[in-house]
Amino acid sequence: MQKTAKKSKEASKSLMSLSHATRKTILLELAKNILTQKNGIIAANTRDLEQAQASGLNQAMTDRLRLDEPRITAMAQGVLSIAEQEEVVNVFHDEFVDKKGLKIKKHSIPLGVILMIFESRPNVVIDCAALAIKSSNAIILKGGKEARHSNEFLGNIIQQTIEKYIPKESVQVINSDGREQVKELLELNQYIDVVVPRGGEQLVEFVHKNAKMPVIAHFKGLCHMYLDKAANVEKALELVINSKTHRVGVCNAIETLLVHRDLLPQIAQKLTQELQKRGTELRVDRAFMEASHAELIAAKSEDWDTEYLDNILSIKTVASIDEAISHIDQHGSYHTECIVSADNKACDQFLSSVDASCIMINASSRFNDGGQLGLGAELGISTTKFHAYGPMGAAQMTTTRYVVVGDGHLRS
């Protein structure tokens, strides 16, 4: 692991001076090679899916793991989108000349070497490699054993693409399944500048406990949607269904629905019927159960703190927007929080009171995604505020330093 990290550090030094034209050429070629080798990707992914089935991996996690033709095409399109974005590294901005004639400006530079530890989703390999190349960072990618064959194949495509232009160690995919190797990497702060854990609660806690370099955490997505008393019922129904059932195993799916009690007579029965049609298990409080006229599972206190990553939704009735905000403040994970309301005052109150990396107003929680928000892809969704908050694209993988240009200027 020390050898791997050291090679990444050496590679990162050559990336700083990489031209925009070269970065774009690499990314365009990478997108092309992904599509050219899609059959190989599918074959490698099939091996992972077969092992997932044999080990009893649940449906939601298996969906995260799957790479079919549409998803491979989407990966390539994401790389193309990143290639066409404006420069985010080695550019100057906020330039001014002070009273003494000093030229002062900010300079965007890469973070250096990024360690990315993630679970299940093999598309992360391509997304993060492309963002690292765009921002001139070296990256070490450590995926979970459930996607081992897919990650390895994608890593080979990347290295075959980049080695003509930059050191192939600029992007390294580690195949080891051992926790000890991860722990060793987390101690190598002399080579690795930042670590980004993207996965379950145990993974994030392990990284926080053991890392000797800064951590940008992609923590759990315990996302809420609040249906205000002024919500349009039809819009609310569609937003809940999309936010919960579009893809149930993703971090931006809602896990808890908060419903204003004045809205219950209009929406509880319809919502129950529509979600049950889609196989959603509902865990609800007494008021919602009575209004739904259905025998549903009674919610327990632990449901309000559970990220299901499955087709399960907990529902709580609230007496006011203040109660909804208080519940989110107590149980939320700073990921995505939504309000559905036609009352602008209520929306403004929600926006100014709720702390989350993305606030949705009359929109599905599923839009908190780097690709959807114009980033092309994402390194992850940071639920901490340093160094970024929300989806991290290429720009969030840089920092700024000052450059001061003088002509023999002395401070008096």
Side-chain angles (χ1 to χ4, degrees), residues 97-343:
V97 179
D98 74 358
K99 293 184 297 184
K100 296 180 179 180
L102 282 172
K103 294 180 180 178
I104 301 170
K105 52 190 173 182
K106 291 181 180 178
H107 185 205
S108 296
I109 58 172
L111 295 176
V113 177
I114 298 171
L115 171 61
M116 179 77 190
I117 305 173
F118 61 100
E119 295 172 340
S120 192
R121 298 181 186 180
N123 64 290
V124 167
V125 173
I126 295 295
D127 292 349
C128 295
L131 290 168
I133 292 166
K134 179 69 177 180
S135 55
S136 284
N137 286 285
I139 191 164
I140 301 170
L141 294 153
K142 169 65 178 73
K145 61 183 180 181
E146 67 281 351
R148 180 171 188 166
H149 299 100
S150 304
N151 292 344
E152 182 178 357
F153 195 91
L154 293 170
N156 288 337
I157 293 174
I158 294 165
Q159 289 202 330
Q160 289 164 10
T161 301
I162 68 177
E163 63 182 350
K164 293 185 293 184
Y165 306 98
I166 55 178
K168 67 178 184 179
E169 291 83 10
S170 301
V171 179
Q172 297 187 79
V173 178
I174 299 175
N175 297 316
S176 171
D177 299 333
R179 179 64 64 90
E180 285 306 311
Q181 283 84 353
V182 173
K183 189 173 181 181
E184 186 180 346
L185 282 168
L186 294 175
E187 295 172 350
L188 298 174
N189 57 318
Q190 69 270 43
Y191 302 121
I192 298 170
D193 295 285
V194 64
V195 57
V196 181
R198 181 174 173 179
E201 190 170 351
Q202 287 185 336
L203 170 64
V204 176
E205 288 180 353
F206 179 84
V207 172
H208 268 293
K209 181 179 179 181
N210 293 282
K212 292 189 176 179
M213 66 286 294
V215 179
I216 303 176
H218 176 125
F219 198 48
K220 65 183 180 181
L222 210 168
C223 308
H224 301 78
M225 178 172 282
Y226 165 59
L227 305 185
D228 186 51
K229 62 182 179 180
N232 177 286
V233 172
E234 293 306 315
K235 286 181 181 177
L237 285 169
E238 291 177 355
L239 287 169
V240 173
I241 290 165
N242 185 259
S243 296
K244 177 70 251 184
T245 69
H246 182 251
R247 284 187 69 188
V248 299
V250 292
C251 60
N252 57 15
I254 60 169
E255 306 290 19
T256 298
L257 179 68
L258 304 171
V259 185
H260 194 288
R261 64 186 180 190
D262 292 356
L263 197 67
L264 282 183
Q266 305 169 59
I267 202 169
Q269 197 166 359
K270 290 180 182 178
L271 184 60
T272 299
Q273 292 169 353
E274 290 301 320
L275 287 170
Q276 287 183 329
K277 284 180 188 177
R278 293 161 175 82
T280 307
E281 178 184 306
L282 302 179
R283 302 181 184 181
V284 307
D285 65 5
R286 176 181 289 275
F288 188 91
M289 192 178 303
E290 290 176 353
S292 70
H293 303 293
E295 287 296 322
L296 304 172
I297 298 171
K300 299 178 181 178
S301 59
E302 56 263 31
D303 284 310
W304 312 129
D305 293 304
T306 302
E307 182 188 21
Y308 301 112
L309 296 174
D310 204 346
N311 199 6
I312 303 170
L313 181 66
S314 56
I315 303 179
K316 180 179 177 63
T317 306
V318 294
S320 66
I321 185 173
D322 295 305
E323 186 180 345
I325 291 168
S326 177
H327 180 95
I328 293 169
D329 185 51
Q330 182 177 353
H331 301 281
S333 61
Y334 307 102
H335 194 289
T336 309
E337 305 296 354
C338 317
I339 180 172
V340 182
S341 180
D343 182 350

Side-chain angles (χ1 to χ4, degrees), residues 5-18 110-114 136-139 167 169-170 191 193:
K6 187 175 181 180
K7 286 183 176 180
S8 285
K9 193 65 172 180
E10 291 169 353
S12 72
K13 294 174 183 177
S14 66
L15 298 178
M16 181 72 173
S17 58
L18 201 61
L111 295 176
V113 177
I114 298 171
S136 284
N137 286 285
I139 191 164
E169 291 83 10
S170 301
Y191 302 121
D193 295 285

